[in-house]
Amino acid sequence: MKIENIVRKSVLSQPVYQAGKPIEYVAREFGLDPDGILKMASNENPMGPCTKAIEAVSKSLDNLNYYPDGGCYELGRKISKKMGLKPTQLVFGNGSNEVIELVAHALLNETDNAVMGAQSFIVYKLSTLLMGAEAREVPMPGLRYDLQQMLDAVDEKTKIVFLANPNNPTGTVLSQKEVFDFVRALPEHVVFCYDEAYSDFQDEPVDIRGLIAEGRNVIGLKTFSKIYGLAGLRAGYGYCSEELAGYINRVREPFNMNTLAQIAAMAALDDDEFYEKSKAMNKQGRAQIEKRFNELGLEYISEGGNFIMVKVKDALKKFDALQRVGVIVRPNVGYGLPDWLRITIGTPGQNERFLAEFAKLL
Ligand SMILES: *Cc1c(COP(=O)(O)O)cnc(C)c1O
């Protein structure tokens, strides 16, 4: 029997996630020294990993023969205190990517659908399709969420509405009022999955705890990958009602968040200095890149997150030319945006190098 006749139907047509190119790949492909390569493609933290997290992790290597705490007891207590939630309202994940998938697993039947923006995080679509459910991609005119169109796309078979704010890859931002009005207009049978991966970079991030408190079906997602620079460890979580968290935790693999990720996340939550530095560097870098883009007369979107979208002709060619000089950025062809590049904001020196190489191509 051919394997294709054995695997689940939804797997046969499942698209493959296109990640930002790792430094080593580009080094091999173009014969470059990996140490000289600058990656501004995956919204990673240019300052490196959170200082306190590295210290805590390096002291904890001796206990790796033990399984992790599957319930993330200490980390859960710490987050619940900080957030004013109960530990039973939390769902931990191997990155918040996993929590997205867990939400889909817990909620979607094959006859259901999930609503999302056409240019929002691709994992919403992948997780939906993996469950054999329908991914309803709502157009985003001007690369912004069209909340009315999203409401219109919701029907009796809709289980989840996914939304990232700031959005990835477009970087566009919605206000607290826009988000609250939208959620309050959703029917009761829909769970609103609100992805806050980049909210830490906002001066006044939307706070959805009020929606949970008023009994709305809402789950917020947070990650340690971006502001704390811990993408390689994989640590994220969701927060929602106890009832919803209870069901999502049923489909969670017991030891999904590894020991070092838990330890690093706990230490990171105490590292206010790193957090503030990351935020400040991002702000400074945004201004630096915007200034040069303005001088070059480029169209760009720079509202939120730790990245900027810039419109250029032949974006793929420019992406390729940048790789050849050791600078990796992110094309958006997969999102139906062939004229846009997404640039992760770096350190001042990194931004300068990118801008110099980029300007040569225009
Ligand atoms: C980076 C990112 C995440 C977080 O991913 P992790 O799995 O926690 O590393 C989630 N959502 C969006 C939109 C992101 O860009």
Side-chain angles (χ1 to χ4, degrees), residues 59-67 259 263:
K59 282 187 208 141
S60 311
L61 300 173
D62 287 344
N63 291 322
L64 290 179
N65 53 318
Y66 293 109
Y67 278 102
T259 304
I263 286 167

Side-chain angles (χ1 to χ4, degrees), residues 32-329:
L32 300 166
D33 174 6
D35 290 339
I37 291 182
L38 169 56
K39 188 178 176 206
M40 301 170 94
S42 299
N43 300 342
E44 291 143 336
N45 194 317
M47 302 204 320
C50 163
T51 324
K52 284 197 174 163
I54 307 179
E55 284 168 18
V57 162
S58 49
K59 282 187 208 141
S60 311
L61 300 173
D62 287 344
N63 291 322
L64 290 179
N65 53 318
Y66 293 109
Y67 278 102
D69 168 10
C72 298
Y73 178 79
E74 297 272 357
L75 177 59
R77 278 186 22 142
K78 194 160 188 119
I79 290 171
S80 63
K81 223 187 237 169
K82 194 168 173 143
M83 301 266 296
L85 300 166
K86 293 181 196 159
T88 41
Q89 290 182 270
L90 305 175
V91 179
F92 287 97
N94 190 29
S96 60
N97 261 282
E98 191 192 16
V99 186
I100 297 167
E101 198 182 312
L102 293 176
V103 170
H105 261 268
L107 298 175
L108 293 175
N109 294 300
E110 293 197 349
T111 50
D112 295 330
N113 69 68
V115 170
M116 61 204 71
Q119 283 85 33
S120 66
F121 196 40
I122 197 80
V123 175
Y124 311 147
K125 180 178 169 178
L126 297 181
S127 301
T128 301
L129 295 178
L130 195 58
M131 300 311 299
E134 179 198 348
R136 291 206 170 158
E137 297 178 90
V138 177
M140 296 178 60
L143 304 191
R144 299 188 162 277
Y145 283 108
D146 182 337
L147 296 177
Q148 187 55 53
Q149 256 203 91
M150 286 183 83
L151 276 182
D152 294 344
V154 169
D155 64 14
E156 68 282 358
K157 290 291 186 190
T158 304
K159 286 282 186 66
I160 310 171
V161 171
F162 289 106
L163 187 140
N165 189 33
N167 185 47
N168 178 18
T170 64
T172 47
V173 175
L174 293 168
S175 71
Q176 173 116 355
K177 181 171 185 333
E178 285 172 308
V179 173
F180 272 55
D181 288 350
F182 177 71
V183 174
R184 286 173 177 153
L186 286 172
E188 274 184 358
H189 64 272
V190 174
V191 170
F192 179 64
C193 187
Y194 183 69
D195 189 335
E196 304 177 45
Y198 300 100
S199 68
D200 297 294
F201 296 99
Q202 296 299 101
D203 281 333
E204 286 170 20
V206 173
D207 182 348
I208 58 149
R209 284 173 293 184
L211 291 169
I212 296 173
E214 65 185 56
R216 306 278 164 191
N217 290 330
V218 170
I219 177 165
L221 304 181
K222 289 189 181 275
T223 178
F224 291 88
S225 296
K226 308 283 158 59
I227 193 94
Y228 292 116
L230 297 173
L233 270 177
R234 317 302 302 125
Y237 64 95
Y239 61 99
C240 53
S241 68
E242 280 186 289
E243 202 183 359
L244 179 57
Y247 286 118
I248 300 173
N249 273 317
R250 286 191 194 183
V251 299
R252 186 173 65 85
E253 182 244 314
F255 303 114
N256 65 329
M257 192 173 184
N258 73 71
T259 304
L260 298 181
Q262 291 183 39
I263 286 167
M266 272 189 285
L269 289 170
D270 286 331
D271 204 338
D272 293 337
E273 192 186 334
F274 187 89
Y275 185 97
E276 292 303 331
K277 259 195 196 163
S278 294
K279 210 168 146 174
M281 175 168 292
N282 189 61
K283 213 177 246 187
Q284 185 190 0
R286 180 184 299 291
Q288 179 187 6
I289 296 173
E290 281 179 359
K291 180 168 174 282
R292 189 75 183 114
F293 281 180
N294 287 336
E295 288 165 4
L296 295 166
L298 294 167
E299 183 181 343
Y300 61 85
I301 301 174
S302 175
E303 290 182 22
N306 59 352
F307 54 92
I308 298 181
M309 282 280 269
V310 61
K311 194 171 186 187
V312 277
K313 251 189 254 152
D314 296 324
L316 254 189
K317 270 194 195 156
K318 292 188 168 63
F319 159 71
D320 191 63
L322 283 169
Q323 281 193 123
R324 286 169 198 278
V325 293
V327 178
I328 318 173
V329 298

